[in-house]
Amino acid sequence: MTEARNPTRRSGPMRGVPWRGARAAVVAPFTKRAGRELAFCLAGLPFVVVNPVALFVGAVDLSWWVSTGGRSNPAPTDVVIAVAGVGLLLVLLVSTTAARRLGALHRTLATRLLGVRVAAPPPVRAGRAWPGPRDRAGWRVVGYLLAKLPASLIELYAVFFWIGGVVNLSYPLLWGAFRNHPPGVRLDPVPVFTPFGLFGDGTFRVATLGGTFAATAAGAAMLLAAPWVTRAVTSADAWLIRGLLGPGRLAQRVHELELSRASAVDDSAALLRRLERDLHDGAQIRLATLAMNLGMARRKLGDGDEVADADAVRELVDAALRGAKDALGDLRSLTRGIHPPVLDNGLADALASLAGDSVIPVGLEIGIPVRPTPAIETIAYFCATELLANAAKHSFATTIAVRVAGRRGVLRLSVADDGTGGADPTRGTGLSGLAQRVAVVDGTLSIASPPGGPTTITVELPLRA
């Protein structure tokens, strides 16, 4: 008798997804990440006051009170004085290291509380104690402080979700503690504040103990929503930090080009050292042995017509012939390592030849509408060679899938295997060397290799170097 199956029953990866989502929503307020994001919002609240807009309003009020004693509206001169004072303060802030220190403070908060690491802007030029009024990094800090004002107000709104949620949850306890009035005394209903009635008299009012449980429900809903509201606000703030407190696009690009140039120089030096070592330890020794064998054979031949030891001469010539063949093989391997001749027919043919020589079955899928430049083809070929060799040595895989696609000016090479996973570039020089090689042409290498597998390593290169 076969078991009847429910066609509406879910199986596989989709089973339990609603339950996992509900569990994540309930657990979210109690995670360390939610606590760090709340701490980031609280740390940013002082910048509602320490802000150019707030300073301008304070300067207008101060000038108004000094000039009129608060007896009339601010005059235009008060506004001019406030603008001049705040402008001078901002120039001093940028000219000194104060602006840069404020930016460093915000980057530190983002790193420690949000896990967002933003590189510092370029340092002040050598020989100068202060950056000066033209410091672009300092003015970007001022721009961030201006944008921080609305962001801080929204962060204050997110903090209200936490505080208001806890207060609303405690309404049944507070009712019993503070509403113990004598009989016959009529008290006003207690307002319950929610995000929908934050700036008014409350969303609704509670007049009985039973009504406090409605406030408890509202508090629970606020606490469940609080982590997600906080995460959205902190993500926006982190976006501002990346865009305004980092090194800037031009400086970042210059830094990346400097790193690429250094990687190219190191890669060229390593290639030259490897060629020198291979020539010295391989072909050079074989050619030296070949010359020695030929010299010994020449001495044994002598100057006469008769050969005293023909067998010995024959052995020396055979040894010299083997040495010549081995030297040719070494030189052929060296030239193939510099530029494989199979690449002359294109990357597709080269990868097909590489897949055919693999000890593990390789599935190949190639779609390159536009042929890359020779330098890109060479880098992609050597990346595929190294990744296939690593999979054969360490992965214990049974199948490998190689996919190559060219789209929107980017060549994407991915090598996936069904092995044991756990690939880590920090434990060897192979993957880190590949990352350095692709970085020379502004390429990237990403690794997805959880313990237990599978492993997928993706290399992205520009089609034009």
Side-chain angles (χ1 to χ4, degrees):
M1 182 177 179
T2 60
E3 179 183 0
R5 295 185 178 181
N6 186 357
T8 62
R9 182 181 179 182
R10 292 183 179 180
S11 61
M14 294 301 296
R15 182 185 299 174
V17 170
W19 163 249
R20 288 197 297 268
R23 182 176 180 274
V26 173
V27 175
F30 308 100
T31 60
K32 293 182 179 179
R33 178 179 178 180
R36 291 194 298 267
E37 291 172 345
L38 175 60
F40 180 83
C41 291
L42 292 173
L45 294 182
F47 293 96
V48 176
V49 180
V50 185
N51 189 277
V53 176
L55 293 176
F56 172 74
V57 174
V60 170
D61 290 340
L62 179 61
S63 177
W64 172 44
W65 277 98
V66 170
S67 61
T68 66
R71 291 186 297 271
S72 62
N73 293 328
T77 55
D78 298 329
V79 178
V80 172
I81 293 174
V83 170
V86 174
L88 179 61
L89 180 62
L90 293 179
V91 171
L92 291 175
L93 188 70
V94 173
S95 300
T96 61
T97 58
R100 286 176 171 261
R101 291 180 180 179
L102 279 176
L105 174 61
H106 286 287
R107 287 194 300 271
T108 302
L109 290 175
T111 300
R112 294 184 178 180
L113 298 178
L114 301 182
V116 176
R117 289 174 172 80
V118 180
V124 182
R125 294 180 181 178
R128 299 182 62 179
W130 288 354
R134 297 184 179 180
D135 184 29
R136 294 183 178 179
W139 286 112
R140 287 202 303 272
V141 174
V142 174
Y144 173 75
L145 292 178
L146 289 172
K148 182 70 174 178
L149 179 59
S152 298
L153 294 176
I154 301 176
E155 288 169 358
L156 178 61
Y157 185 69
V159 171
F160 169 74
F161 271 80
W162 294 93
I163 299 176
V166 173
V167 171
N168 290 340
L169 278 177
S170 64
Y171 261 50
L173 300 177
L174 296 176
W175 188 273
F178 296 100
R179 307 289 284 195
N180 51 357
H181 52 277
V185 177
R186 183 177 180 85
L187 301 179
D188 293 334
V190 179
V192 178
F193 289 95
T194 67
F196 303 103
L198 176 60
F199 303 103
D201 294 332
T203 304
F204 59 92
R205 292 175 175 270
V206 173
T208 62
L209 177 61
T212 59
F213 292 99
T216 301
M222 290 175 65
L223 284 180
L224 291 177
W228 311 107
V229 175
T230 308
R231 188 163 303 171
V233 175
T234 54
S235 299
D237 204 331
W239 179 78
L240 290 175
I241 291 175
R242 290 191 188 97
L244 295 175
L245 301 185
R249 293 184 179 180
L250 180 59
Q252 182 67 23
R253 183 58 180 164
V254 170
H255 180 66
E256 292 174 354
L257 290 176
E258 290 176 348
L259 293 179
S260 298
R261 183 184 62 182
S263 298
V265 172
D266 293 341
D267 188 64
S268 299
L271 177 61
L272 291 176
R273 287 194 301 268
R274 186 172 68 251
L275 289 175
E276 190 274 335
R277 183 179 63 251
D278 293 341
L279 287 172
H280 182 272
D281 298 340
Q284 181 177 346
I285 293 178
R286 296 185 187 279
L287 291 175
T289 304
L290 169 64
M292 291 175 58
N293 290 332
L294 291 176
M296 295 172 62
R298 177 68 181 83
R299 287 195 296 271
K300 288 185 175 294
L301 287 175
D303 298 330
D305 295 336
E306 295 182 359
V307 180
D309 192 354
D311 294 336
V313 173
R314 191 175 294 107
E315 291 179 359
L316 291 172
V317 173
D318 290 340
L321 180 61
R322 289 193 300 271
K325 292 180 179 179
D326 293 339
L328 287 174
D330 290 343
L331 292 174
R332 191 177 296 110
S333 298
L334 286 175
T335 56
R336 189 180 297 112
I338 298 173
H339 180 75
V342 70
L343 276 177
D344 294 337
N345 298 328
L347 183 61
D349 292 344
L351 292 179
S353 176
L354 193 63
D357 296 336
S358 175
V359 296
I360 301 176
V362 176
L364 192 61
E365 181 180 339
I366 300 177
I368 309 176
V370 179
R371 183 172 180 177
T373 56
I376 297 300
E377 285 187 335
T378 302
I379 294 176
Y381 176 81
F382 282 118
C383 287
T385 303
E386 182 71 20
L387 294 176
L388 289 177
N390 287 344
K393 292 178 183 178
H394 310 295
S395 70
F396 301 99
T398 58
T399 58
I400 301 176
V402 178
R403 295 180 177 86
V404 184
R407 184 181 180 185
R408 296 180 180 178
V410 176
L411 178 69
R412 174 175 292 183
L413 165 70
S414 66
V415 178
D417 64 69
D418 59 353
T420 56
D424 187 0
T426 61
R427 295 187 300 180
T429 59
L431 293 178
S432 60
L434 288 183
Q436 293 177 359
R437 172 169 284 191
V438 302
V440 171
V441 291
D442 290 340
T444 59
L445 183 143
S446 58
I447 302 172
S449 182
T455 296
T456 302
I457 300 178
T458 304
V459 177
E460 292 187 352
L461 300 167
L463 286 175
R464 303 294 177 186

